[in-house]
Amino acid sequence: MEIIKEKLKLMAGSMKSGTLNTLLTNDAEYQKVVAEVRRADEKYRTLKLSENEEETVGTLIARRDEAETERVVNAYMAGILDGYEIMKSLGMVEE
C-alpha cells in the first residue's frame, strides 16, 4: 500500500489541479463563498491596524490557508486511496 501511496502522490500532484479547478469552477456554492472571501479581504485591507496587529492577523490568515491546503491535499489522497480499496475489494484491480 505504501508504494501505491507514493506513486499516487506523484501522479495526483499534476492531475488534481485540473480536476479540482474544473469542479470548483462549476460549483455555485464554492463560487459564492469565494466572492464573500474577496469582499472580506477588501475590507480587511482597508483596516487601520498597528504593525503588531497586522502581523498577528496576517500570520493567522497564512497559517489557516496552509492548514486548509494540507487538509485538501490529504482529502484528495484519501479519496483516491478509498477508491482504489473499493475497486480492489470488488476485484477490479490487483495489488
Side-chain angles (χ1 to χ4, degrees):
M1 182 62 122
E2 229 21 69
I3 293 171
I4 292 169
K5 279 184 180 178
E6 290 306 313
K7 286 182 179 180
L8 281 175
K9 279 185 185 179
L10 291 173
M11 293 171 61
S14 62
M15 292 169 52
K16 81 172 168 59
S17 293
T19 306
L20 181 59
N21 288 339
T22 299
L23 290 171
L24 294 177
T25 298
N26 295 314
D27 185 327
E29 185 62 29
Y30 176 79
Q31 293 302 320
K32 178 182 169 188
V33 171
V34 167
E36 291 170 1
V37 168
R38 284 191 191 115
R39 285 191 293 277
D41 187 57
E42 288 171 9
K43 286 182 182 179
Y44 163 70
R45 292 182 189 285
T46 65
L47 295 176
K48 304 294 184 220
L49 301 176
S50 70
E51 188 175 316
N52 186 46
E53 291 169 329
E54 181 74 32
E55 184 179 329
T56 300
V57 173
T59 299
L60 171 65
I61 292 169
R63 296 304 166 259
R64 280 188 178 167
D65 286 349
E66 289 173 22
E68 179 61 12
T69 297
E70 289 302 314
R71 190 192 72 73
V72 167
V73 167
N74 280 290
Y76 191 85
M77 290 300 300
I80 292 171
L81 293 170
D82 289 347
Y84 173 78
E85 288 298 323
I86 290 168
M87 289 176 15
K88 190 169 86 175
S89 71
L90 295 173
M92 299 171 72
V93 295
E94 294 178 19
E95 190 162 343

